[in-house]
Amino acid sequence: MPVEQLILIALFVILMLFGGASRADEPVQVIVRMSAILALMYAIFSRPAKLDRATGPVMVGLAAAAFLVAVQLIPLPFSIWSSLSGRELYAQQGSLIGMSKIWRPLTLSPDQTWNALLSLIVPISVVALLTKMHYRQRAEFLPVVLAVVGFSIIVVLARLMSGSGWIALRQSTDGGGSGIFANRNHQALLFVIGLPMLAVWVTGHKPSRMTPWLRWGAAATGALLLIILIPATGSRTGLLLGAAALVMALIFLSDTAKRLLQKVKRRRTRKLLVAGMLFGFIGLIGLTSTLNRAESVQRLMAMDIAGDTRARLFPRVVEMTSAFFPAGAGFGTFNLAFRRFEGLNDLKLTYFNQAHDDFVQIVLEGGLLGTLILAVALGWLAFQMVIAWRSPPNRTATRLARLASVLMILMLGASVVDYPLRTPLMAALFALFAVWLHEPRVRQGPENGKDAALTR
């Protein structure tokens, strides 16, 4: 196995253990970022590698994001800074205490924006290592991601049974359901994306070291645990996205299921198998819904939109966005800037740390330039997803690209009501999936026997 593959696997292990928190003051961020820096240094100073059609667009997107954040750190004369949208109150207070001659960067909180810039080291290091691999080697990371999902299953089960917290993430407030993350919604999302990945992995060609029955048994066991544990996390978003992920997993399994049913000669037996699977699925849903740990089902049934903090404070977020547009407040400044718009009725013992809508928050913090970059990135990803689903389905690169499109849609869907991509682990996975999404453009034509065995 090449050194770059071993380094990237080691980085994913570190992210699996310590990459589940997005807060800047989380102590484990030191471990995560130092590991990413070391991986990036190896990618830069070892044998040279060129960006190809898969890694090039992803690296360009990350470079654009880094440029946007870095621009916000450039000092500006106070006269220019005070004229930017949303700075009027701060400029008045600054003049009163003699700061009218001090240059300031665009961002309201330079230290938090520096943290946002440093957070990009993780996905950049992942893509930098992937540039040094052949596309066949990149495809071999599907079992690695499944291993991360499997480890999180063990952690959640242990936490639910013992009630003890994950020692690495001291900021976790969601009990056992948050697993290897500080937020149960993020853990639920990891379980959600595990369902389509299992479907693609199990329908691959027969591996040399695993019999078909063992392969299908492992996939079925994993899927069963995921379906049970998604409600156990207590995440309503995870429950809704899990239903969509299950449908996509069944679509990936449809061709294989048809071939298996065709081997069953007797029509009556075939109908019994289909009916058994249907009743088994309904029974599984009913069992999951009645579990005491299925907190997300209870929260979904008792959901009060008007009383939900995120829905109640969303008008404040829209007001903030309008006040700071088009300059933007600066990345990482939401928590500090929100206090200016927070009403007395909004005060609680806890604080509103993020907008809980990453698309709106990018517009709020990044301003017009951030909005343009976001629109271009989403448009480009949509274009690549169309290419993936129009490419020949008999190639492993196409299968991974289609899988990546589903996984990225699920992650972006979760970002509408939360901020999963701000965690190092999810950012690294999104970067890997983005490279997979671009793989069909790497080469044309049918794969040979060696290439067809990528999912082994």
Side-chain angles (χ1 to χ4, degrees), residues 20-22 159 169 171-190 233-235 237 299 310 353-354 356 417-420 423 426:
S22 60
R159 292 189 61 183
L169 302 180
Q171 300 295 342
S172 176
T173 58
D174 291 327
S178 58
I180 62 176
F181 290 89
N183 186 310
R184 60 184 166 199
N185 293 321
H186 305 164
Q187 178 59 70
L189 178 61
L190 183 63
T233 60
S235 171
T237 304
R299 295 177 70 234
R310 287 174 291 187
N353 62 334
Q354 304 287 355
H356 290 82
V417 294
D418 214 284
Y419 48 96
T423 62
M426 284 298 182

PDB file of all heavy atoms in Angstrom, residues 20-22 159 169 171-190 233-235 237 299 310 353-354 356 417-420 423 426:
ATOM      1  N   GLY A  20     -14.877  15.361  15.720  1.00  0.00           N
ATOM      2  CA  GLY A  20     -16.327  15.501  15.750  1.00  0.00           C
ATOM      3  C   GLY A  20     -16.836  16.798  16.345  1.00  0.00           C
ATOM      4  O   GLY A  20     -18.035  16.939  16.573  1.00  0.00           O
ATOM      5  N   ALA A  21     -15.940  17.756  16.610  1.00  0.00           N
ATOM      6  CA  ALA A  21     -16.358  19.022  17.212  1.00  0.00           C
ATOM      7  C   ALA A  21     -16.000  20.173  16.291  1.00  0.00           C
ATOM      8  O   ALA A  21     -14.974  20.145  15.608  1.00  0.00           O
ATOM      9  CB  ALA A  21     -15.687  19.216  18.573  1.00  0.00           C
ATOM     10  N   SER A  22     -16.833  21.202  16.271  1.00  0.00           N
ATOM     11  CA  SER A  22     -16.582  22.354  15.413  1.00  0.00           C
ATOM     12  C   SER A  22     -16.118  23.574  16.191  1.00  0.00           C
ATOM     13  O   SER A  22     -15.666  24.546  15.584  1.00  0.00           O
ATOM     14  CB  SER A  22     -17.853  22.717  14.635  1.00  0.00           C
ATOM     15  OG  SER A  22     -18.911  23.042  15.530  1.00  0.00           O
ATOM     16  N   ARG A 159     -22.242   4.072  24.599  1.00  0.00           N
ATOM     17  CA  ARG A 159     -22.690   5.239  25.353  1.00  0.00           C
ATOM     18  C   ARG A 159     -24.143   5.100  25.786  1.00  0.00           C
ATOM     19  O   ARG A 159     -24.516   5.517  26.882  1.00  0.00           O
ATOM     20  CB  ARG A 159     -22.502   6.496  24.517  1.00  0.00           C
ATOM     21  CG  ARG A 159     -21.057   6.866  24.277  1.00  0.00           C
ATOM     22  CD  ARG A 159     -20.947   8.227  23.627  1.00  0.00           C
ATOM     23  NE  ARG A 159     -21.510   9.263  24.477  1.00  0.00           N
ATOM     24  CZ  ARG A 159     -21.586  10.540  24.120  1.00  0.00           C
ATOM     25  NH1 ARG A 159     -21.159  10.912  22.925  1.00  0.00           N
ATOM     26  NH2 ARG A 159     -22.097  11.432  24.933  1.00  0.00           N
ATOM     27  N   LEU A 169     -14.568  14.736  23.578  1.00  0.00           N
ATOM     28  CA  LEU A 169     -15.356  15.915  23.240  1.00  0.00           C
ATOM     29  C   LEU A 169     -16.090  16.403  24.481  1.00  0.00           C
ATOM     30  O   LEU A 169     -17.188  15.968  24.785  1.00  0.00           O
ATOM     31  CB  LEU A 169     -16.340  15.593  22.111  1.00  0.00           C
ATOM     32  CG  LEU A 169     -15.693  15.082  20.822  1.00  0.00           C
ATOM     33  CD1 LEU A 169     -16.753  14.802  19.781  1.00  0.00           C
ATOM     34  CD2 LEU A 169     -14.673  16.075  20.296  1.00  0.00           C
ATOM     35  N   GLN A 171     -17.429  19.219  25.036  1.00  0.00           N
ATOM     36  CA  GLN A 171     -18.534  20.138  24.783  1.00  0.00           C
ATOM     37  C   GLN A 171     -19.819  19.411  24.390  1.00  0.00           C
ATOM     38  O   GLN A 171     -20.827  20.047  24.100  1.00  0.00           O
ATOM     39  CB  GLN A 171     -18.145  21.122  23.668  1.00  0.00           C
ATOM     40  CG  GLN A 171     -16.923  21.965  23.983  1.00  0.00           C
ATOM     41  CD  GLN A 171     -17.135  22.902  25.150  1.00  0.00           C
ATOM     42  OE1 GLN A 171     -18.262  23.180  25.522  1.00  0.00           O
ATOM     43  NE2 GLN A 171     -16.050  23.375  25.743  1.00  0.00           N
ATOM     44  N   SER A 172     -19.797  18.087  24.345  1.00  0.00           N
ATOM     45  CA  SER A 172     -20.978  17.340  23.948  1.00  0.00           C
ATOM     46  C   SER A 172     -22.074  17.488  24.999  1.00  0.00           C
ATOM     47  O   SER A 172     -21.837  17.333  26.189  1.00  0.00           O
ATOM     48  CB  SER A 172     -20.630  15.860  23.759  1.00  0.00           C
ATOM     49  OG  SER A 172     -21.778  15.115  23.453  1.00  0.00           O
ATOM     50  N   THR A 173     -23.287  17.794  24.536  1.00  0.00           N
ATOM     51  CA  THR A 173     -24.409  17.990  25.457  1.00  0.00           C
ATOM     52  C   THR A 173     -25.604  17.107  25.111  1.00  0.00           C
ATOM     53  O   THR A 173     -26.665  17.267  25.682  1.00  0.00           O
ATOM     54  CB  THR A 173     -24.870  19.459  25.429  1.00  0.00           C
ATOM     55  OG1 THR A 173     -25.239  19.808  24.088  1.00  0.00           O
ATOM     56  CG2 THR A 173     -23.771  20.387  25.913  1.00  0.00           C
ATOM     57  N   ASP A 174     -25.404  16.176  24.190  1.00  0.00           N
ATOM     58  CA  ASP A 174     -26.539  15.401  23.705  1.00  0.00           C
ATOM     59  C   ASP A 174     -26.562  13.973  24.237  1.00  0.00           C
ATOM     60  O   ASP A 174     -27.244  13.129  23.700  1.00  0.00           O
ATOM     61  CB  ASP A 174     -26.528  15.368  22.173  1.00  0.00           C
ATOM     62  CG  ASP A 174     -26.831  16.737  21.594  1.00  0.00           C
ATOM     63  OD1 ASP A 174     -27.607  17.464  22.220  1.00  0.00           O
ATOM     64  OD2 ASP A 174     -26.286  17.058  20.543  1.00  0.00           O
ATOM     65  N   GLY A 175     -25.791  13.673  25.258  1.00  0.00           N
ATOM     66  CA  GLY A 175     -25.824  12.333  25.814  1.00  0.00           C
ATOM     67  C   GLY A 175     -25.258  11.294  24.866  1.00  0.00           C
ATOM     68  O   GLY A 175     -24.426  11.564  24.020  1.00  0.00           O
ATOM     69  N   GLY A 176     -25.749  10.066  24.996  1.00  0.00           N
ATOM     70  CA  GLY A 176     -25.203   8.967  24.225  1.00  0.00           C
ATOM     71  C   GLY A 176     -25.429   9.059  22.745  1.00  0.00           C
ATOM     72  O   GLY A 176     -24.662   8.520  21.955  1.00  0.00           O
ATOM     73  N   GLY A 177     -26.489   9.750  22.313  1.00  0.00           N
ATOM     74  CA  GLY A 177     -26.810   9.793  20.901  1.00  0.00           C
ATOM     75  C   GLY A 177     -25.822  10.543  20.052  1.00  0.00           C
ATOM     76  O   GLY A 177     -25.799  10.387  18.834  1.00  0.00           O
ATOM     77  N   SER A 178     -24.979  11.376  20.644  1.00  0.00           N
ATOM     78  CA  SER A 178     -24.038  12.159  19.852  1.00  0.00           C
ATOM     79  C   SER A 178     -22.817  11.353  19.431  1.00  0.00           C
ATOM     80  O   SER A 178     -22.081  11.779  18.533  1.00  0.00           O
ATOM     81  CB  SER A 178     -23.600  13.407  20.622  1.00  0.00           C
ATOM     82  OG  SER A 178     -23.010  13.037  21.853  1.00  0.00           O
ATOM     83  N   GLY A 179     -22.567  10.213  20.056  1.00  0.00           N
ATOM     84  CA  GLY A 179     -21.510   9.312  19.602  1.00  0.00           C
ATOM     85  C   GLY A 179     -20.145   9.952  19.547  1.00  0.00           C
ATOM     86  O   GLY A 179     -19.655  10.507  20.533  1.00  0.00           O
ATOM     87  N   ILE A 180     -19.494   9.911  18.391  1.00  0.00           N
ATOM     88  CA  ILE A 180     -18.147  10.458  18.234  1.00  0.00           C
ATOM     89  C   ILE A 180     -18.187  11.948  17.908  1.00  0.00           C
ATOM     90  O   ILE A 180     -17.142  12.558  17.662  1.00  0.00           O
ATOM     91  CB  ILE A 180     -17.361   9.709  17.148  1.00  0.00           C
ATOM     92  CG1 ILE A 180     -18.033   9.854  15.784  1.00  0.00           C
ATOM     93  CG2 ILE A 180     -17.220   8.240  17.512  1.00  0.00           C
ATOM     94  CD1 ILE A 180     -17.238   9.215  14.642  1.00  0.00           C
ATOM     95  N   PHE A 181     -19.375  12.537  17.882  1.00  0.00           N
ATOM     96  CA  PHE A 181     -19.536  13.961  17.613  1.00  0.00           C
ATOM     97  C   PHE A 181     -19.991  14.687  18.877  1.00  0.00           C
ATOM     98  O   PHE A 181     -20.415  14.066  19.857  1.00  0.00           O
ATOM     99  CB  PHE A 181     -20.564  14.187  16.497  1.00  0.00           C
ATOM    100  CG  PHE A 181     -20.095  13.745  15.138  1.00  0.00           C
ATOM    101  CD1 PHE A 181     -20.317  12.441  14.716  1.00  0.00           C
ATOM    102  CD2 PHE A 181     -19.443  14.622  14.291  1.00  0.00           C
ATOM    103  CE1 PHE A 181     -19.888  12.024  13.467  1.00  0.00           C
ATOM    104  CE2 PHE A 181     -19.007  14.215  13.046  1.00  0.00           C
ATOM    105  CZ  PHE A 181     -19.235  12.913  12.627  1.00  0.00           C
ATOM    106  N   ALA A 182     -19.918  16.000  18.835  1.00  0.00           N
ATOM    107  CA  ALA A 182     -20.446  16.814  19.927  1.00  0.00           C
ATOM    108  C   ALA A 182     -21.917  17.149  19.719  1.00  0.00           C
ATOM    109  O   ALA A 182     -22.542  17.728  20.598  1.00  0.00           O
ATOM    110  CB  ALA A 182     -19.639  18.108  20.049  1.00  0.00           C
ATOM    111  N   ASN A 183     -22.463  16.769  18.577  1.00  0.00           N
ATOM    112  CA  ASN A 183     -23.835  17.113  18.211  1.00  0.00           C
ATOM    113  C   ASN A 183     -24.520  15.859  17.678  1.00  0.00           C
ATOM    114  O   ASN A 183     -23.993  15.183  16.775  1.00  0.00           O
ATOM    115  CB  ASN A 183     -23.825  18.217  17.152  1.00  0.00           C
ATOM    116  CG  ASN A 183     -25.200  18.742  16.828  1.00  0.00           C
ATOM    117  OD1 ASN A 183     -26.127  17.992  16.555  1.00  0.00           O
ATOM    118  ND2 ASN A 183     -25.339  20.058  16.837  1.00  0.00           N
ATOM    119  N   ARG A 184     -25.677  15.532  18.210  1.00  0.00           N
ATOM    120  CA  ARG A 184     -26.366  14.311  17.797  1.00  0.00           C
ATOM    121  C   ARG A 184     -26.820  14.363  16.341  1.00  0.00           C
ATOM    122  O   ARG A 184     -26.937  13.326  15.681  1.00  0.00           O
ATOM    123  CB  ARG A 184     -27.564  14.043  18.703  1.00  0.00           C
ATOM    124  CG  ARG A 184     -28.625  15.132  18.708  1.00  0.00           C
ATOM    125  CD  ARG A 184     -29.696  14.807  19.711  1.00  0.00           C
ATOM    126  NE  ARG A 184     -30.554  15.956  19.990  1.00  0.00           N
ATOM    127  CZ  ARG A 184     -31.326  16.052  21.070  1.00  0.00           C
ATOM    128  NH1 ARG A 184     -31.333  15.072  21.948  1.00  0.00           N
ATOM    129  NH2 ARG A 184     -32.078  17.107  21.271  1.00  0.00           N
ATOM    130  N   ASN A 185     -27.109  15.566  15.816  1.00  0.00           N
ATOM    131  CA  ASN A 185     -27.498  15.682  14.414  1.00  0.00           C
ATOM    132  C   ASN A 185     -26.367  15.244  13.487  1.00  0.00           C
ATOM    133  O   ASN A 185     -26.600  14.641  12.438  1.00  0.00           O
ATOM    134  CB  ASN A 185     -27.905  17.120  14.094  1.00  0.00           C
ATOM    135  CG  ASN A 185     -29.178  17.534  14.814  1.00  0.00           C
ATOM    136  OD1 ASN A 185     -30.103  16.746  14.944  1.00  0.00           O
ATOM    137  ND2 ASN A 185     -29.209  18.759  15.297  1.00  0.00           N
ATOM    138  N   HIS A 186     -25.135  15.554  13.865  1.00  0.00           N
ATOM    139  CA  HIS A 186     -23.989  15.179  13.047  1.00  0.00           C
ATOM    140  C   HIS A 186     -23.744  13.676  13.100  1.00  0.00           C
ATOM    141  O   HIS A 186     -23.390  13.055  12.093  1.00  0.00           O
ATOM    142  CB  HIS A 186     -22.755  15.942  13.513  1.00  0.00           C
ATOM    143  CG  HIS A 186     -22.948  17.430  13.523  1.00  0.00           C
ATOM    144  ND1 HIS A 186     -22.107  18.300  14.195  1.00  0.00           N
ATOM    145  CD2 HIS A 186     -23.908  18.209  12.948  1.00  0.00           C
ATOM    146  CE1 HIS A 186     -22.533  19.547  14.024  1.00  0.00           C
ATOM    147  NE2 HIS A 186     -23.629  19.507  13.281  1.00  0.00           N
ATOM    148  N   GLN A 187     -23.929  13.084  14.287  1.00  0.00           N
ATOM    149  CA  GLN A 187     -23.790  11.638  14.390  1.00  0.00           C
ATOM    150  C   GLN A 187     -24.878  10.933  13.587  1.00  0.00           C
ATOM    151  O   GLN A 187     -24.612   9.937  12.899  1.00  0.00           O
ATOM    152  CB  GLN A 187     -23.874  11.207  15.854  1.00  0.00           C
ATOM    153  CG  GLN A 187     -23.792   9.703  16.080  1.00  0.00           C
ATOM    154  CD  GLN A 187     -22.503   9.111  15.557  1.00  0.00           C
ATOM    155  OE1 GLN A 187     -21.441   9.341  16.096  1.00  0.00           O
ATOM    156  NE2 GLN A 187     -22.597   8.322  14.490  1.00  0.00           N
ATOM    157  N   ALA A 188     -26.096  11.441  13.643  1.00  0.00           N
ATOM    158  CA  ALA A 188     -27.181  10.851  12.866  1.00  0.00           C
ATOM    159  C   ALA A 188     -26.888  10.930  11.374  1.00  0.00           C
ATOM    160  O   ALA A 188     -27.170   9.995  10.626  1.00  0.00           O
ATOM    161  CB  ALA A 188     -28.496  11.556  13.183  1.00  0.00           C
ATOM    162  N   LEU A 189     -26.293  12.035  10.930  1.00  0.00           N
ATOM    163  CA  LEU A 189     -25.952  12.175   9.516  1.00  0.00           C
ATOM    164  C   LEU A 189     -24.914  11.144   9.095  1.00  0.00           C
ATOM    165  O   LEU A 189     -25.002  10.596   7.985  1.00  0.00           O
ATOM    166  CB  LEU A 189     -25.444  13.591   9.244  1.00  0.00           C
ATOM    167  CG  LEU A 189     -25.001  13.879   7.807  1.00  0.00           C
ATOM    168  CD1 LEU A 189     -26.156  13.685   6.832  1.00  0.00           C
ATOM    169  CD2 LEU A 189     -24.433  15.292   7.697  1.00  0.00           C
ATOM    170  N   LEU A 190     -23.944  10.866   9.955  1.00  0.00           N
ATOM    171  CA  LEU A 190     -22.954   9.838   9.624  1.00  0.00           C
ATOM    172  C   LEU A 190     -23.630   8.481   9.470  1.00  0.00           C
ATOM    173  O   LEU A 190     -23.290   7.711   8.563  1.00  0.00           O
ATOM    174  CB  LEU A 190     -21.879   9.778  10.712  1.00  0.00           C
ATOM    175  CG  LEU A 190     -20.734   8.785  10.456  1.00  0.00           C
ATOM    176  CD1 LEU A 190     -19.941   9.180   9.214  1.00  0.00           C
ATOM    177  CD2 LEU A 190     -19.812   8.701  11.669  1.00  0.00           C
ATOM    178  N   THR A 233     -30.404   8.381  18.142  1.00  0.00           N
ATOM    179  CA  THR A 233     -29.594   9.580  18.330  1.00  0.00           C
ATOM    180  C   THR A 233     -30.427  10.753  18.838  1.00  0.00           C
ATOM    181  O   THR A 233     -29.885  11.699  19.408  1.00  0.00           O
ATOM    182  CB  THR A 233     -28.920   9.996  17.008  1.00  0.00           C
ATOM    183  OG1 THR A 233     -29.923  10.276  16.022  1.00  0.00           O
ATOM    184  CG2 THR A 233     -28.006   8.897  16.489  1.00  0.00           C
ATOM    185  N   GLY A 234     -31.725  10.704  18.597  1.00  0.00           N
ATOM    186  CA  GLY A 234     -32.576  11.813  19.005  1.00  0.00           C
ATOM    187  C   GLY A 234     -32.632  12.931  17.998  1.00  0.00           C
ATOM    188  O   GLY A 234     -33.124  14.020  18.303  1.00  0.00           O
ATOM    189  N   SER A 235     -32.155  12.702  16.787  1.00  0.00           N
ATOM    190  CA  SER A 235     -32.122  13.737  15.757  1.00  0.00           C
ATOM    191  C   SER A 235     -33.335  13.619  14.841  1.00  0.00           C
ATOM    192  O   SER A 235     -33.518  12.602  14.170  1.00  0.00           O
ATOM    193  CB  SER A 235     -30.829  13.611  14.923  1.00  0.00           C
ATOM    194  OG  SER A 235     -30.871  14.454  13.800  1.00  0.00           O
ATOM    195  N   THR A 237     -33.832  15.597  12.212  1.00  0.00           N
ATOM    196  CA  THR A 237     -33.297  15.723  10.852  1.00  0.00           C
ATOM    197  C   THR A 237     -32.744  14.393  10.374  1.00  0.00           C
ATOM    198  O   THR A 237     -32.947  13.994   9.223  1.00  0.00           O
ATOM    199  CB  THR A 237     -32.194  16.792  10.818  1.00  0.00           C
ATOM    200  OG1 THR A 237     -32.708  18.026  11.315  1.00  0.00           O
ATOM    201  CG2 THR A 237     -31.670  16.986   9.411  1.00  0.00           C
ATOM    202  N   ARG A 299     -39.588  13.283  19.569  1.00  0.00           N
ATOM    203  CA  ARG A 299     -39.397  14.715  19.334  1.00  0.00           C
ATOM    204  C   ARG A 299     -40.092  15.157  18.048  1.00  0.00           C
ATOM    205  O   ARG A 299     -40.586  16.271  17.951  1.00  0.00           O
ATOM    206  CB  ARG A 299     -37.906  15.040  19.272  1.00  0.00           C
ATOM    207  CG  ARG A 299     -37.173  14.818  20.579  1.00  0.00           C
ATOM    208  CD  ARG A 299     -35.690  15.089  20.457  1.00  0.00           C
ATOM    209  NE  ARG A 299     -35.447  16.523  20.291  1.00  0.00           N
ATOM    210  CZ  ARG A 299     -34.747  17.038  19.300  1.00  0.00           C
ATOM    211  NH1 ARG A 299     -34.239  16.247  18.375  1.00  0.00           N
ATOM    212  NH2 ARG A 299     -34.544  18.342  19.215  1.00  0.00           N
ATOM    213  N   ARG A 310     -34.596  27.314  16.876  1.00  0.00           N
ATOM    214  CA  ARG A 310     -34.056  27.669  15.565  1.00  0.00           C
ATOM    215  C   ARG A 310     -35.094  28.375  14.703  1.00  0.00           C
ATOM    216  O   ARG A 310     -34.788  29.368  14.039  1.00  0.00           O
ATOM    217  CB  ARG A 310     -33.543  26.411  14.868  1.00  0.00           C
ATOM    218  CG  ARG A 310     -32.260  25.867  15.462  1.00  0.00           C
ATOM    219  CD  ARG A 310     -31.855  24.554  14.849  1.00  0.00           C
ATOM    220  NE  ARG A 310     -32.761  23.474  15.228  1.00  0.00           N
ATOM    221  CZ  ARG A 310     -32.554  22.195  14.926  1.00  0.00           C
ATOM    222  NH1 ARG A 310     -31.489  21.850  14.218  1.00  0.00           N
ATOM    223  NH2 ARG A 310     -33.396  21.263  15.312  1.00  0.00           N
ATOM    224  N   ASN A 353     -25.317  29.309  19.010  1.00  0.00           N
ATOM    225  CA  ASN A 353     -23.930  29.315  18.529  1.00  0.00           C
ATOM    226  C   ASN A 353     -23.796  29.486  17.030  1.00  0.00           C
ATOM    227  O   ASN A 353     -22.815  30.060  16.542  1.00  0.00           O
ATOM    228  CB  ASN A 353     -23.223  28.030  18.968  1.00  0.00           C
ATOM    229  CG  ASN A 353     -23.885  26.799  18.378  1.00  0.00           C
ATOM    230  OD1 ASN A 353     -25.071  26.816  18.060  1.00  0.00           O
ATOM    231  ND2 ASN A 353     -23.131  25.724  18.225  1.00  0.00           N
ATOM    232  N   GLN A 354     -24.766  28.974  16.248  1.00  0.00           N
ATOM    233  CA  GLN A 354     -24.716  29.073  14.788  1.00  0.00           C
ATOM    234  C   GLN A 354     -26.111  29.398  14.264  1.00  0.00           C
ATOM    235  O   GLN A 354     -27.104  29.290  14.986  1.00  0.00           O
ATOM    236  CB  GLN A 354     -24.235  27.741  14.169  1.00  0.00           C
ATOM    237  CG  GLN A 354     -22.896  27.233  14.680  1.00  0.00           C
ATOM    238  CD  GLN A 354     -21.709  28.016  14.167  1.00  0.00           C
ATOM    239  OE1 GLN A 354     -21.855  28.907  13.333  1.00  0.00           O
ATOM    240  NE2 GLN A 354     -20.519  27.687  14.657  1.00  0.00           N
ATOM    241  N   HIS A 356     -27.710  27.651  12.215  1.00  0.00           N
ATOM    242  CA  HIS A 356     -28.392  26.391  11.946  1.00  0.00           C
ATOM    243  C   HIS A 356     -28.995  26.362  10.536  1.00  0.00           C
ATOM    244  O   HIS A 356     -30.007  25.712  10.293  1.00  0.00           O
ATOM    245  CB  HIS A 356     -29.465  26.102  13.006  1.00  0.00           C
ATOM    246  CG  HIS A 356     -28.877  25.775  14.353  1.00  0.00           C
ATOM    247  ND1 HIS A 356     -28.467  26.746  15.225  1.00  0.00           N
ATOM    248  CD2 HIS A 356     -28.619  24.589  14.957  1.00  0.00           C
ATOM    249  CE1 HIS A 356     -27.984  26.184  16.328  1.00  0.00           C
ATOM    250  NE2 HIS A 356     -28.069  24.873  16.188  1.00  0.00           N
ATOM    251  N   VAL A 417     -30.527  22.868   7.956  1.00  0.00           N
ATOM    252  CA  VAL A 417     -31.032  23.073   9.309  1.00  0.00           C
ATOM    253  C   VAL A 417     -29.941  22.902  10.360  1.00  0.00           C
ATOM    254  O   VAL A 417     -30.242  22.921  11.559  1.00  0.00           O
ATOM    255  CB  VAL A 417     -32.200  22.104   9.608  1.00  0.00           C
ATOM    256  CG1 VAL A 417     -33.402  22.423   8.748  1.00  0.00           C
ATOM    257  CG2 VAL A 417     -31.767  20.653   9.408  1.00  0.00           C
ATOM    258  N   ASP A 418     -28.693  22.733   9.938  1.00  0.00           N
ATOM    259  CA  ASP A 418     -27.622  22.525  10.901  1.00  0.00           C
ATOM    260  C   ASP A 418     -26.298  22.937  10.268  1.00  0.00           C
ATOM    261  O   ASP A 418     -26.276  23.608   9.238  1.00  0.00           O
ATOM    262  CB  ASP A 418     -27.598  21.065  11.368  1.00  0.00           C
ATOM    263  CG  ASP A 418     -27.183  20.941  12.824  1.00  0.00           C
ATOM    264  OD1 ASP A 418     -25.979  21.068  13.108  1.00  0.00           O
ATOM    265  OD2 ASP A 418     -28.059  20.732  13.680  1.00  0.00           O
ATOM    266  N   TYR A 419     -25.178  22.478  10.865  1.00  0.00           N
ATOM    267  CA  TYR A 419     -23.861  22.883  10.372  1.00  0.00           C
ATOM    268  C   TYR A 419     -22.868  21.708  10.420  1.00  0.00           C
ATOM    269  O   TYR A 419     -21.774  21.830  10.966  1.00  0.00           O
ATOM    270  CB  TYR A 419     -23.316  24.058  11.206  1.00  0.00           C
ATOM    271  CG  TYR A 419     -23.419  23.854  12.718  1.00  0.00           C
ATOM    272  CD1 TYR A 419     -22.350  23.360  13.457  1.00  0.00           C
ATOM    273  CD2 TYR A 419     -24.591  24.159  13.394  1.00  0.00           C
ATOM    274  CE1 TYR A 419     -22.439  23.173  14.824  1.00  0.00           C
ATOM    275  CE2 TYR A 419     -24.697  23.980  14.760  1.00  0.00           C
ATOM    276  CZ  TYR A 419     -23.615  23.484  15.472  1.00  0.00           C
ATOM    277  OH  TYR A 419     -23.710  23.295  16.831  1.00  0.00           O
ATOM    278  N   PRO A 420     -23.213  20.552   9.842  1.00  0.00           N
ATOM    279  CA  PRO A 420     -22.345  19.375   9.949  1.00  0.00           C
ATOM    280  C   PRO A 420     -20.994  19.544   9.270  1.00  0.00           C
ATOM    281  O   PRO A 420     -19.984  18.992   9.739  1.00  0.00           O
ATOM    282  CB  PRO A 420     -23.169  18.267   9.277  1.00  0.00           C
ATOM    283  CG  PRO A 420     -24.090  18.990   8.354  1.00  0.00           C
ATOM    284  CD  PRO A 420     -24.431  20.267   9.060  1.00  0.00           C
ATOM    285  N   THR A 423     -17.605  20.489  11.100  1.00  0.00           N
ATOM    286  CA  THR A 423     -16.790  19.552  11.867  1.00  0.00           C
ATOM    287  C   THR A 423     -15.690  18.991  10.973  1.00  0.00           C
ATOM    288  O   THR A 423     -15.903  18.750   9.777  1.00  0.00           O
ATOM    289  CB  THR A 423     -17.637  18.395  12.411  1.00  0.00           C
ATOM    290  OG1 THR A 423     -18.200  17.667  11.315  1.00  0.00           O
ATOM    291  CG2 THR A 423     -18.763  18.919  13.286  1.00  0.00           C
ATOM    292  N   MET A 426     -16.583  15.593   9.017  1.00  0.00           N
ATOM    293  CA  MET A 426     -17.536  15.749   7.923  1.00  0.00           C
ATOM    294  C   MET A 426     -16.937  16.552   6.774  1.00  0.00           C
ATOM    295  O   MET A 426     -17.214  16.276   5.599  1.00  0.00           O
ATOM    296  CB  MET A 426     -18.807  16.422   8.431  1.00  0.00           C
ATOM    297  CG  MET A 426     -19.720  15.510   9.220  1.00  0.00           C
ATOM    298  SD  MET A 426     -20.327  14.136   8.199  1.00  0.00           S
ATOM    299  CE  MET A 426     -21.382  13.296   9.373  1.00  0.00           C
TER     300      MET A 426
END
